Amino acid sequence: MARHGGRGWYGRVVAAAVGVTAVAAATSVWTAQAGQTDGGSGAAGAGARPAQKPAHVSETIAHSSDGGAHAVNITIDDGPDPVWTPQVLRLLRDNGVKATFCMVGGQAEAHPDLVKQVVAAGHRLCDHTVSHDTTMDKKSESYQSQQIVDAERQITKASGGVRPMYYRAPGGAFTPYSRHLAASHGMRPLGWNVDSKDFERPGSDAIITTVKTELSNGPTILFHDAGGDRSQTVVALRTLLPWLKQQGYSFGFPVR
């Protein structure tokens, strides 16, 4: 969820700088992603034990895309949700788009089947803390650690062993400590360039206009698949994904 209107905080940063069958069929996909996140140190699966901690990554907040200068990163926050996540997954599949899902630990724990579906479809996972506290930057380091590390554990367990590759602070509430901690667990801190404002439910037309207008700010676009009624987001994505393709954009992942 964006805090205080969302993109303002990141704008300053940028300016300054289907089910069990499907899951079983996609075991090789999980294994490949586990290799990416864990340095190839273990295969993922429903009963697999998570591999040892991955190597340290950069602790600077990522905004750019690994897809190059004319690629965008679709990022989806606050899920998984049993109503909206499947609809978002269908749209991504139908448009041949891969995205990064920033999951709340409690949601992942409650809906492990959805976490596995996200991974099986080739999307990436991101740690969005245990309880989505947008005031984390005002809390103690021990609290920040609990929120980040426990969510990492919840998401990894729910996925069947695939670790989150990124960490996004709720509302952009990063601290030097939280960035360093996440990076030491192999999770690149992840920002955004375009806040679609979908969390505020301004109407699908307004969401579409915001994304089109602000796309020049950078490639990482923020949407939500939980935290309330996300029907406007679904409608907006149904228009935006093909529109982005028509404009010549490809789809990548945030840099690591």
Side-chain angles (χ1 to χ4, degrees):
M1 171 169 49
R3 179 175 60 177
H4 308 312
R7 191 186 64 81
W9 185 90
Y10 279 98
R12 291 194 296 272
V13 172
V14 173
V18 321
V20 175
T21 301
V23 169
T27 299
S28 61
V29 177
W30 300 346
T31 303
Q33 289 207 15
Q36 286 183 303
T37 57
D38 298 327
S41 53
R49 182 168 57 183
Q52 63 186 30
K53 186 187 298 183
H56 189 99
V57 297
S58 173
E59 58 191 63
T60 60
I61 299 173
H63 293 89
S64 56
S65 176
D66 66 4
H70 209 57
V72 295
N73 306 320
I74 303 298
T75 65
I76 314 288
D77 283 20
D78 295 1
D81 179 273
V83 174
W84 306 111
T85 302
Q87 295 185 48
V88 171
L89 283 172
R90 280 194 294 273
L91 280 172
L92 293 170
R93 180 199 64 200
D94 292 347
N95 287 276
V97 173
K98 304 303 181 189
T100 300
F101 283 77
C102 299
M103 296 186 174
V104 174
Q107 291 293 108
E109 191 170 57
H111 306 290
D113 56 327
L114 293 176
V115 182
K116 291 181 175 69
Q117 287 178 39
V118 167
V119 172
H123 307 295
R124 289 186 180 178
L125 302 176
C126 171
D127 180 333
H128 204 34
T129 74
V130 172
S131 58
H132 200 282
D133 183 352
T134 59
T135 65
M136 273 186 61
D137 53 342
K138 310 300 182 187
K139 304 291 180 62
S140 68
E141 290 183 354
S142 62
Y143 176 82
Q144 294 177 56
S145 177
Q146 176 266 322
Q147 285 286 308
I148 296 168
V149 176
D150 284 2
E152 178 193 18
R153 186 180 304 114
Q154 289 172 314
I155 294 166
T156 301
K157 181 178 180 182
S159 73
V162 178
R163 295 180 180 277
M165 298 180 72
Y166 309 92
Y167 164 65
R168 175 174 275 169
F174 286 103
T175 66
Y177 172 78
S178 69
R179 291 190 291 106
H180 177 77
L181 175 66
S184 73
H185 282 244
M187 299 183 292
R188 179 76 183 263
L190 176 58
W192 67 81
N193 307 106
V194 180
D195 180 0
S196 70
K197 302 292 196 302
D198 67 332
F199 195 85
E200 300 172 9
R201 287 180 281 181
S204 57
D205 287 343
I207 295 169
I208 292 166
T209 298
T210 296
V211 172
K212 289 182 176 181
T213 301
E214 298 191 4
L215 196 55
S216 60
N217 292 333
T220 302
I221 311 173
L222 170 62
F223 298 99
H224 297 81
D225 64 343
D229 184 337
R230 295 289 152 236
S231 56
Q232 294 178 9
T233 301
V234 171
V235 172
L237 284 170
R238 189 173 292 124
T239 294
L240 283 168
L241 294 178
W243 178 83
L244 286 163
K245 285 186 174 183
Q246 290 164 8
Q247 304 308 303
Y249 286 97
S250 60
F251 297 88
F253 292 111
V255 294
R256 290 262 295 159

